PDB file of all heavy atoms in Angstrom:
ATOM      1  N   ASP A 444      46.231  15.517  49.495  1.00 98.00           N
ATOM      2  CA  ASP A 444      44.765  15.498  49.095  1.00 98.00           C
ATOM      3  C   ASP A 444      44.651  15.339  47.614  1.00 98.00           C
ATOM      4  O   ASP A 444      45.464  15.868  46.861  1.00 98.00           O
ATOM      5  CB  ASP A 444      44.144  16.864  49.528  1.00 98.00           C
ATOM      6  CG  ASP A 444      43.965  16.992  50.996  1.00 98.00           C
ATOM      7  OD1 ASP A 444      43.635  16.006  51.631  1.00 98.00           O
ATOM      8  OD2 ASP A 444      44.151  18.136  51.518  1.00 98.00           O
ATOM      9  N   GLY A 445      43.599  14.588  47.197  1.00 98.00           N
ATOM     10  CA  GLY A 445      43.275  14.585  45.783  1.00 98.00           C
ATOM     11  C   GLY A 445      43.653  13.292  45.089  1.00 98.00           C
ATOM     12  O   GLY A 445      44.033  12.283  45.723  1.00 98.00           O
ATOM     13  N   PHE A 446      43.374  13.298  43.751  1.00 98.00           N
ATOM     14  CA  PHE A 446      43.467  12.044  42.941  1.00 98.00           C
ATOM     15  C   PHE A 446      43.581  12.487  41.486  1.00 98.00           C
ATOM     16  O   PHE A 446      43.244  13.579  41.108  1.00 98.00           O
ATOM     17  CB  PHE A 446      42.357  11.095  43.220  1.00 98.00           C
ATOM     18  CG  PHE A 446      41.011  11.607  42.832  1.00 98.00           C
ATOM     19  CD1 PHE A 446      40.512  11.642  41.526  1.00 98.00           C
ATOM     20  CD2 PHE A 446      40.215  12.244  43.816  1.00 98.00           C
ATOM     21  CE1 PHE A 446      39.312  12.154  41.219  1.00 98.00           C
ATOM     22  CE2 PHE A 446      38.980  12.762  43.495  1.00 98.00           C
ATOM     23  CZ  PHE A 446      38.505  12.716  42.189  1.00 98.00           C
ATOM     24  N   VAL A 447      43.942  11.497  40.616  1.00 98.00           N
ATOM     25  CA  VAL A 447      43.846  11.665  39.207  1.00 98.00           C
ATOM     26  C   VAL A 447      42.889  10.519  38.650  1.00 98.00           C
ATOM     27  O   VAL A 447      43.040   9.380  39.091  1.00 98.00           O
ATOM     28  CB  VAL A 447      45.190  11.514  38.444  1.00 98.00           C
ATOM     29  CG1 VAL A 447      44.976  11.510  36.974  1.00 98.00           C
ATOM     30  CG2 VAL A 447      46.118  12.694  38.837  1.00 98.00           C
ATOM     31  N   LYS A 448      41.939  10.856  37.884  1.00 98.00           N
ATOM     32  CA  LYS A 448      41.028   9.853  37.271  1.00 98.00           C
ATOM     33  C   LYS A 448      41.091   9.931  35.752  1.00 98.00           C
ATOM     34  O   LYS A 448      40.951  11.004  35.183  1.00 98.00           O
ATOM     35  CB  LYS A 448      39.629  10.102  37.748  1.00 98.00           C
ATOM     36  CG  LYS A 448      38.615   9.082  37.165  1.00 98.00           C
ATOM     37  CD  LYS A 448      37.245   9.174  37.855  1.00 98.00           C
ATOM     38  CE  LYS A 448      36.494  10.427  37.491  1.00 98.00           C
ATOM     39  NZ  LYS A 448      35.062  10.385  38.016  1.00 98.00           N
ATOM     40  N   ILE A 449      41.297   8.808  35.136  1.00 98.00           N
ATOM     41  CA  ILE A 449      41.275   8.714  33.690  1.00 98.00           C
ATOM     42  C   ILE A 449      40.105   7.876  33.210  1.00 98.00           C
ATOM     43  O   ILE A 449      39.881   6.802  33.736  1.00 98.00           O
ATOM     44  CB  ILE A 449      42.615   8.145  33.138  1.00 98.00           C
ATOM     45  CG1 ILE A 449      43.736   9.143  33.428  1.00 98.00           C
ATOM     46  CG2 ILE A 449      42.538   7.766  31.665  1.00 98.00           C
ATOM     47  CD1 ILE A 449      45.099   8.710  32.956  1.00 98.00           C
ATOM     48  N   LEU A 450      39.386   8.416  32.215  1.00 98.00           N
ATOM     49  CA  LEU A 450      38.241   7.685  31.678  1.00 98.00           C
ATOM     50  C   LEU A 450      38.634   7.338  30.221  1.00 98.00           C
ATOM     51  O   LEU A 450      39.095   8.152  29.426  1.00 98.00           O
ATOM     52  CB  LEU A 450      36.989   8.597  31.553  1.00 98.00           C
ATOM     53  CG  LEU A 450      36.557   9.232  32.909  1.00 98.00           C
ATOM     54  CD1 LEU A 450      35.440  10.176  32.687  1.00 98.00           C
ATOM     55  CD2 LEU A 450      36.161   8.103  33.934  1.00 98.00           C
ATOM     56  N   ALA A 451      38.482   6.030  29.835  1.00 98.00           N
ATOM     57  CA  ALA A 451      38.874   5.546  28.559  1.00 98.00           C
ATOM     58  C   ALA A 451      37.762   4.731  27.924  1.00 98.00           C
ATOM     59  O   ALA A 451      36.940   4.131  28.631  1.00 98.00           O
ATOM     60  CB  ALA A 451      40.139   4.693  28.683  1.00 98.00           C
ATOM     61  N   ASP A 452      37.718   4.718  26.636  1.00 98.00           N
ATOM     62  CA  ASP A 452      36.722   3.946  25.871  1.00 98.00           C
ATOM     63  C   ASP A 452      36.880   2.415  26.210  1.00 98.00           C
ATOM     64  O   ASP A 452      37.996   1.947  26.193  1.00 98.00           O
ATOM     65  CB  ASP A 452      36.943   4.153  24.356  1.00 98.00           C
ATOM     66  CG  ASP A 452      35.756   3.547  23.571  1.00 98.00           C
ATOM     67  OD1 ASP A 452      35.818   2.324  23.326  1.00 98.00           O
ATOM     68  OD2 ASP A 452      34.866   4.272  23.154  1.00 98.00           O
ATOM     69  N   ALA A 453      35.750   1.799  26.480  1.00 98.00           N
ATOM     70  CA  ALA A 453      35.829   0.408  26.985  1.00 98.00           C
ATOM     71  C   ALA A 453      36.350  -0.506  25.858  1.00 98.00           C
ATOM     72  O   ALA A 453      37.030  -1.505  26.143  1.00 98.00           O
ATOM     73  CB  ALA A 453      34.429  -0.105  27.329  1.00 98.00           C
ATOM     74  N   LYS A 454      36.187  -0.171  24.588  1.00 97.00           N
ATOM     75  CA  LYS A 454      36.638  -1.033  23.534  1.00 97.00           C
ATOM     76  C   LYS A 454      37.998  -0.626  22.972  1.00 97.00           C
ATOM     77  O   LYS A 454      38.900  -1.462  22.846  1.00 97.00           O
ATOM     78  CB  LYS A 454      35.591  -1.070  22.370  1.00 97.00           C
ATOM     79  CG  LYS A 454      34.294  -1.704  22.769  1.00 97.00           C
ATOM     80  CD  LYS A 454      33.292  -1.662  21.594  1.00 97.00           C
ATOM     81  CE  LYS A 454      31.997  -2.400  21.942  1.00 97.00           C
ATOM     82  NZ  LYS A 454      31.006  -2.363  20.855  1.00 97.00           N
ATOM     83  N   THR A 455      38.197   0.670  22.699  1.00 98.00           N
ATOM     84  CA  THR A 455      39.358   1.124  22.015  1.00 98.00           C
ATOM     85  C   THR A 455      40.468   1.518  22.961  1.00 98.00           C
ATOM     86  O   THR A 455      41.609   1.725  22.540  1.00 98.00           O
ATOM     87  CB  THR A 455      39.092   2.282  21.029  1.00 98.00           C
ATOM     88  OG1 THR A 455      38.669   3.397  21.808  1.00 98.00           O
ATOM     89  CG2 THR A 455      37.941   1.871  20.076  1.00 98.00           C
ATOM     90  N   ASP A 456      40.161   1.820  24.255  1.00 98.00           N
ATOM     91  CA  ASP A 456      41.049   2.324  25.186  1.00 98.00           C
ATOM     92  C   ASP A 456      41.451   3.783  25.005  1.00 98.00           C
ATOM     93  O   ASP A 456      42.318   4.235  25.707  1.00 98.00           O
ATOM     94  CB  ASP A 456      42.319   1.395  25.293  1.00 98.00           C
ATOM     95  CG  ASP A 456      43.151   1.580  26.597  1.00 98.00           C
ATOM     96  OD1 ASP A 456      42.533   1.799  27.656  1.00 98.00           O
ATOM     97  OD2 ASP A 456      44.337   1.561  26.501  1.00 98.00           O
ATOM     98  N   GLU A 457      40.899   4.400  24.032  1.00 98.00           N
ATOM     99  CA  GLU A 457      41.210   5.864  23.816  1.00 98.00           C
ATOM    100  C   GLU A 457      40.779   6.693  25.035  1.00 98.00           C
ATOM    101  O   GLU A 457      39.657   6.494  25.584  1.00 98.00           O
ATOM    102  CB  GLU A 457      40.493   6.408  22.529  1.00 98.00           C
ATOM    103  CG  GLU A 457      40.773   7.883  22.337  1.00 98.00           C
ATOM    104  CD  GLU A 457      40.124   8.430  21.078  1.00 98.00           C
ATOM    105  OE1 GLU A 457      39.519   7.652  20.319  1.00 98.00           O
ATOM    106  OE2 GLU A 457      40.127   9.656  20.855  1.00 98.00           O
ATOM    107  N   VAL A 458      41.609   7.570  25.460  1.00 98.00           N
ATOM    108  CA  VAL A 458      41.269   8.386  26.558  1.00 98.00           C
ATOM    109  C   VAL A 458      40.145   9.416  26.253  1.00 98.00           C
ATOM    110  O   VAL A 458      40.298  10.137  25.234  1.00 98.00           O
ATOM    111  CB  VAL A 458      42.545   9.134  27.106  1.00 98.00           C
ATOM    112  CG1 VAL A 458      42.210  10.083  28.273  1.00 98.00           C
ATOM    113  CG2 VAL A 458      43.597   8.185  27.535  1.00 98.00           C
ATOM    114  N   LEU A 459      39.141   9.442  27.018  1.00 98.00           N
ATOM    115  CA  LEU A 459      37.977  10.267  26.757  1.00 98.00           C
ATOM    116  C   LEU A 459      37.814  11.455  27.705  1.00 98.00           C
ATOM    117  O   LEU A 459      37.230  12.440  27.406  1.00 98.00           O
ATOM    118  CB  LEU A 459      36.693   9.438  26.816  1.00 98.00           C
ATOM    119  CG  LEU A 459      36.558   8.183  25.950  1.00 98.00           C
ATOM    120  CD1 LEU A 459      35.309   7.401  26.232  1.00 98.00           C
ATOM    121  CD2 LEU A 459      36.669   8.610  24.489  1.00 98.00           C
ATOM    122  N   GLY A 460      38.480  11.340  28.884  1.00 98.00           N
ATOM    123  CA  GLY A 460      38.429  12.411  29.828  1.00 98.00           C
ATOM    124  C   GLY A 460      39.519  12.185  30.901  1.00 98.00           C
ATOM    125  O   GLY A 460      39.739  11.042  31.234  1.00 98.00           O
ATOM    126  N   VAL A 461      40.076  13.299  31.392  1.00 98.00           N
ATOM    127  CA  VAL A 461      40.979  13.197  32.487  1.00 98.00           C
ATOM    128  C   VAL A 461      40.581  14.261  33.577  1.00 98.00           C
ATOM    129  O   VAL A 461      40.421  15.461  33.222  1.00 98.00           O
ATOM    130  CB  VAL A 461      42.470  13.438  32.097  1.00 98.00           C
ATOM    131  CG1 VAL A 461      43.344  13.344  33.270  1.00 98.00           C
ATOM    132  CG2 VAL A 461      42.875  12.384  31.012  1.00 98.00           C
ATOM    133  N   HIS A 462      40.429  13.829  34.831  1.00 98.00           N
ATOM    134  CA  HIS A 462      39.962  14.660  35.873  1.00 98.00           C
ATOM    135  C   HIS A 462      40.885  14.555  37.076  1.00 98.00           C
ATOM    136  O   HIS A 462      41.193  13.407  37.500  1.00 98.00           O
ATOM    137  CB  HIS A 462      38.521  14.306  36.252  1.00 98.00           C
ATOM    138  CG  HIS A 462      37.647  14.258  35.027  1.00 98.00           C
ATOM    139  ND1 HIS A 462      36.989  15.380  34.539  1.00 98.00           N
ATOM    140  CD2 HIS A 462      37.301  13.226  34.219  1.00 98.00           C
ATOM    141  CE1 HIS A 462      36.328  15.048  33.418  1.00 98.00           C
ATOM    142  NE2 HIS A 462      36.513  13.749  33.234  1.00 98.00           N
ATOM    143  N   MET A 463      41.345  15.633  37.578  1.00 98.00           N
ATOM    144  CA  MET A 463      42.372  15.585  38.686  1.00 98.00           C
ATOM    145  C   MET A 463      42.141  16.745  39.730  1.00 98.00           C
ATOM    146  O   MET A 463      41.735  17.787  39.328  1.00 98.00           O
ATOM    147  CB  MET A 463      43.780  15.641  38.116  1.00 98.00           C
ATOM    148  CG  MET A 463      44.057  16.779  37.168  1.00 98.00           C
ATOM    149  SD  MET A 463      45.788  16.794  36.499  1.00 98.00           S
ATOM    150  CE  MET A 463      45.697  15.496  35.317  1.00 98.00           C
ATOM    151  N   ILE A 464      42.452  16.391  40.912  1.00 98.00           N
ATOM    152  CA  ILE A 464      42.511  17.412  41.969  1.00 98.00           C
ATOM    153  C   ILE A 464      43.658  17.077  42.846  1.00 98.00           C
ATOM    154  O   ILE A 464      43.870  15.930  43.304  1.00 98.00           O
ATOM    155  CB  ILE A 464      41.157  17.377  42.824  1.00 98.00           C
ATOM    156  CG1 ILE A 464      41.257  18.315  44.012  1.00 98.00           C
ATOM    157  CG2 ILE A 464      40.771  15.973  43.221  1.00 98.00           C
ATOM    158  CD1 ILE A 464      39.896  18.553  44.720  1.00 98.00           C
ATOM    159  N   GLY A 465      44.520  18.095  43.084  1.00 98.00           N
ATOM    160  CA  GLY A 465      45.655  17.881  43.877  1.00 98.00           C
ATOM    161  C   GLY A 465      46.714  18.987  43.584  1.00 98.00           C
ATOM    162  O   GLY A 465      46.448  19.928  42.837  1.00 98.00           O
ATOM    163  N   ALA A 466      47.879  18.836  44.194  1.00 98.00           N
ATOM    164  CA  ALA A 466      48.963  19.793  43.957  1.00 98.00           C
ATOM    165  C   ALA A 466      49.386  19.819  42.524  1.00 98.00           C
ATOM    166  O   ALA A 466      49.572  18.756  41.882  1.00 98.00           O
ATOM    167  CB  ALA A 466      50.160  19.450  44.840  1.00 98.00           C
ATOM    168  N   ARG A 467      49.552  21.035  41.964  1.00 98.00           N
ATOM    169  CA  ARG A 467      50.132  21.221  40.604  1.00 98.00           C
ATOM    170  C   ARG A 467      49.278  20.676  39.458  1.00 98.00           C
ATOM    171  O   ARG A 467      49.736  20.601  38.294  1.00 98.00           O
ATOM    172  CB  ARG A 467      51.540  20.635  40.503  1.00 98.00           C
ATOM    173  CG  ARG A 467      52.487  20.985  41.584  1.00 98.00           C
ATOM    174  CD  ARG A 467      52.817  22.445  41.584  1.00 98.00           C
ATOM    175  NE  ARG A 467      53.617  22.868  42.681  1.00 98.00           N
ATOM    176  CZ  ARG A 467      53.626  24.089  43.201  1.00 98.00           C
ATOM    177  NH1 ARG A 467      52.921  25.032  42.606  1.00 98.00           N
ATOM    178  NH2 ARG A 467      54.479  24.417  44.197  1.00 98.00           N
ATOM    179  N   CYS A 468      47.968  20.391  39.737  1.00 98.00           N
ATOM    180  CA  CYS A 468      47.109  19.896  38.642  1.00 98.00           C
ATOM    181  C   CYS A 468      46.884  20.904  37.559  1.00 98.00           C
ATOM    182  O   CYS A 468      46.667  20.521  36.449  1.00 98.00           O
ATOM    183  CB  CYS A 468      45.757  19.463  39.269  1.00 98.00           C
ATOM    184  SG  CYS A 468      45.892  17.900  40.118  1.00 98.00           S
ATOM    185  N   ALA A 469      46.966  22.216  37.866  1.00 98.00           N
ATOM    186  CA  ALA A 469      46.793  23.234  36.832  1.00 98.00           C
ATOM    187  C   ALA A 469      47.810  23.080  35.741  1.00 98.00           C
ATOM    188  O   ALA A 469      47.542  23.383  34.578  1.00 98.00           O
ATOM    189  CB  ALA A 469      46.846  24.620  37.408  1.00 98.00           C
ATOM    190  N   ASP A 470      49.016  22.580  36.103  1.00 98.00           N
ATOM    191  CA  ASP A 470      50.039  22.380  35.124  1.00 98.00           C
ATOM    192  C   ASP A 470      50.037  20.930  34.578  1.00 98.00           C
ATOM    193  O   ASP A 470      50.284  20.657  33.451  1.00 98.00           O
ATOM    194  CB  ASP A 470      51.474  22.622  35.780  1.00 98.00           C
ATOM    195  CG  ASP A 470      51.576  24.065  36.249  1.00 98.00           C
ATOM    196  OD1 ASP A 470      51.524  24.965  35.392  1.00 98.00           O
ATOM    197  OD2 ASP A 470      51.722  24.309  37.484  1.00 98.00           O
TER     198      ASP A 470
END
Side-chain angles (χ1 to χ4, degrees):
D444 289 321
F446 61 85
V447 174
K448 178 170 72 172
I449 290 180
L450 308 174
D452 188 280
K454 293 181 180 179
T455 68
D456 198 38
E457 180 180 350
V458 177
L459 303 176
V461 180
H462 308 276
M463 55 180 73
I464 174 170
R467 308 300 174 200
C468 283
D470 299 299

